[in-house]
Amino acid sequence: MTRRGWVLFLAMGAIWGVPYAMIRIAVEDFDPFVVAFARTLIGGLILLPIALYTKALMPVLRRWKPLLAYTLVEITGPWFLIGYAETTLNSSTVGLLIAAVPLIAVVMVATMGHETFDRRRVLGLIVGFGGVATLVGLDVDLSNPAAIGAIGLTAIGYALGPIIITRSLADLPPMGVVTASLILAAIIYAPMAALRWPDHYPADASWSVLGLAVLCTSLAFLVFFALISEVGPSRATVITYINPAVAILLGVTALNEPLTAGMAIGFPLVILGSILGTARSRGAEPKTEAPVAVPCADVPVPPGAYDERR
């Protein structure tokens, strides 16, 4: 990998590990609907001039049905549910629970017949889900099952998003899909956000929302596109194993969240399980091109990020 590739790689690992801490700060003062609406609206408006200049928007709008489905499972549902969960769960825990997304995706694509399980993948699933169970059992307050359920639904949505892209949106301009999905999500959020609009705007929460929109959404995509161009899609998705570490580091250092036994045990198990569970079998080719889900990438995933062609 080139020096530029490493810079982009490390930048993306940091950018996609930051959202959980920012969301945690934002939802202390703003309703999760308001946070999600402001983030998608600002992020979409920043990317809109680029999408219009490159004429990437109109082809996407013509295929509005899969675009709507993708927006619902990858943005609208998850971004609200994460915000809701972080009103009670700490950001480190949320980041680690969502790290199980690749494991869910492996089960989905295998069930659909795109890929088959081998011993390594079965071991990865067992290890990874064991890590999640350890984290939940030792660290999460089980008296609030709604928050855990919200993250579970988020993980399922993040696993479904790439499948929709692969089947229906992969041939469209990535910038057009991202921009259109952000603006569509903002429109969906708008009515609920209007009913919950805050009367005051604390500095910490306001800056966090702005950071989510500019840094973790708009800038994240521009850097991610550059990374894919520099190192290829296969290597680009490896950043997903850095994000949980960044989430834990920020939670512990910036938000004074505890580094618990569940994190110390569950984190390496989740990451090891994800690596084993998502690795392609040696000497085996999938029946069809299968998506690779990106956990902790708290932004909609662009077409091309899952294209494993070499």
Side-chain angles (χ1 to χ4, degrees):
M1 188 184 298
T2 64
R3 180 179 299 178
R4 181 172 183 268
W6 277 113
V7 171
L8 292 171
F9 180 85
L10 294 175
M12 281 310 306
I15 290 173
W16 276 356
V18 165
Y20 304 103
M22 288 187 173
I23 292 172
R24 177 66 176 176
I25 295 172
V27 297
E28 290 181 358
D29 296 289
F30 299 150
D31 185 89
F33 272 115
V34 174
V35 175
F37 168 73
R39 178 183 179 184
T40 51
L41 179 64
I42 297 172
L45 291 178
I46 291 174
L47 295 178
L48 183 59
I50 302 175
L52 292 175
Y53 178 77
T54 58
K55 299 180 180 179
L57 208 54
M58 288 309 297
V60 175
L61 296 179
R62 295 190 190 102
R63 214 173 295 175
W64 65 270
K65 289 183 179 180
L67 175 69
L68 175 61
Y70 169 71
T71 301
L72 290 173
V73 303
E74 188 77 23
I75 306 176
T76 311
W79 288 10
F80 165 72
L81 291 171
I82 290 174
Y84 166 76
E86 289 208 38
T87 60
T88 55
L89 301 178
N90 63 50
S91 64
S92 303
T93 299
V94 171
L96 280 180
L97 289 175
I98 295 179
V101 169
L103 305 177
I104 298 173
V106 167
V107 173
M108 286 183 176
V109 296
T111 301
M112 294 176 182
H114 293 308
E115 295 189 11
T116 58
F117 286 113
D118 59 11
R119 291 181 180 178
R120 179 171 56 181
R121 285 194 163 179
V122 171
L123 176 61
L125 290 173
I126 294 173
V127 171
F129 283 119
V132 173
T134 300
L135 177 67
V136 172
L138 294 181
D139 290 343
V140 179
D141 184 1
L142 298 179
S143 64
N144 187 7
I148 301 173
I151 296 304
L153 290 175
T154 296
I156 293 172
Y158 278 164
L160 281 173
I163 295 174
I164 295 175
I165 282 184
T166 302
R167 292 189 169 189
S168 304
L169 301 172
D171 60 323
L172 297 176
M175 185 60 68
V177 174
V178 171
T179 304
S181 60
L182 286 173
I183 293 176
L184 178 59
I187 294 172
I188 296 172
Y189 285 136
M192 298 302 295
L195 294 175
R196 293 166 168 78
W197 203 256
D199 296 325
H200 61 287
Y201 307 91
D204 288 349
S206 299
W207 281 112
S208 293
V209 171
L210 187 61
L212 284 168
V214 177
L215 176 65
C216 303
T217 303
S218 300
L219 178 62
F221 274 114
L222 296 177
V223 175
F224 192 52
F225 293 155
L227 178 63
I228 291 174
S229 176
E230 181 71 20
V231 305
S234 298
R235 289 182 178 178
T237 58
V238 179
I239 61 170
T240 61
Y241 302 121
I242 298 177
N243 302 335
V246 176
I248 291 175
L249 179 63
L250 288 177
V252 172
T253 59
L255 302 180
N256 296 318
E257 296 176 353
L259 181 60
T260 63
M263 291 179 189
I265 299 172
F267 172 67
L269 292 179
V270 170
I271 301 305
L272 176 61
S274 294
I275 294 173
L276 293 174
T278 59
R280 179 169 294 178
S281 302
R282 295 179 181 177
E285 292 294 332
K287 296 179 182 179
T288 59
E289 203 67 46
V292 179
V294 178
C296 302
D298 191 39
V299 288
V301 183
Y306 302 107
D307 186 356
E308 291 295 316
R309 300 177 185 89
R310 291 175 174 81

